[in-house]
Amino acid sequence: MSPFKGQTGLKRILNAAGYSFDGLRAAFTGEAAFRQLVLLNVILIPLSFLLNVSRVERALLIAVCLLALIVELLNSAVEAAIDRISLDRHPLSKNAKDMGSAAQFVALSMITIVWAVILI
C-alpha cells in the first residue's frame, strides 16, 4: 500500500481537491496551449447560451469544449512525465508526445465538427 494513500473520508476529498487546483494552476501558468483553450472556452461556452439550440445541443456544445481542456491536461501530464524521465531524444518519448498532440487535435476537431453540425 502506498504511503501517499493514507487519508480517508473528507480529508481525502479535500486533499484531492487541493491537488486538482494545484494541477489547474500549474497548467494555466506553465502551458500556453491550456491558456489558449481556456480563452476559447471563455468565448464559446457563454456563446452557447446565446444560441437558439435545445438544452441537449447546448450541453454537447459545452461538453466538447470542456473535453478539449481535459485532453490538454492529460497531454501536458504526459509531456511532463516524459521530460521528468529524460530530456534526451528517444523514439518512444517522441511517440508518447506525438500521441498526446494527436489526441488534442482530435478533441479540437470534435469541437469544430459538433459546433458545425449543430449550427448549420
Side-chain angles (χ1 to χ4, degrees):
M1 185 84 96
S2 171
F4 301 108
K5 300 270 184 189
Q7 301 297 326
T8 59
L10 184 59
K11 179 69 172 166
R12 186 192 69 76
I13 293 169
L14 293 174
N15 285 347
Y19 302 143
S20 296
F21 285 116
D22 289 346
L24 288 169
R25 188 179 309 108
F28 193 82
T29 59
E31 297 291 334
F34 185 78
R35 289 191 300 274
Q36 291 168 344
L37 281 171
V38 167
L39 177 62
L40 184 65
N41 276 263
V42 165
I43 294 167
L44 291 181
I45 291 175
L47 178 61
S48 73
F49 287 96
L50 300 175
L51 299 172
N52 186 22
V53 295
S54 72
R55 285 185 284 179
V56 171
E57 290 171 327
R58 183 171 295 112
L60 284 171
L61 294 173
I62 294 169
V64 294
C65 292
L66 294 175
L67 180 63
L69 283 175
I70 293 167
V71 172
E72 182 56 37
L73 287 167
L74 294 172
N75 181 38
S76 295
V78 167
E79 289 182 359
I82 294 297
D83 291 346
R84 163 66 174 87
I85 293 167
S86 174
L87 293 175
D88 295 340
R89 292 186 183 266
H90 189 280
L92 292 176
S93 296
K94 180 182 181 337
N95 286 349
K97 288 183 173 192
D98 289 351
M99 288 178 204
S101 179
Q104 187 56 55
F105 177 77
V106 170
L108 291 171
S109 298
M110 191 165 32
I111 290 174
T112 304
I113 292 167
V114 169
W115 277 72
V117 166
I118 290 173
L119 297 179
I120 295 176

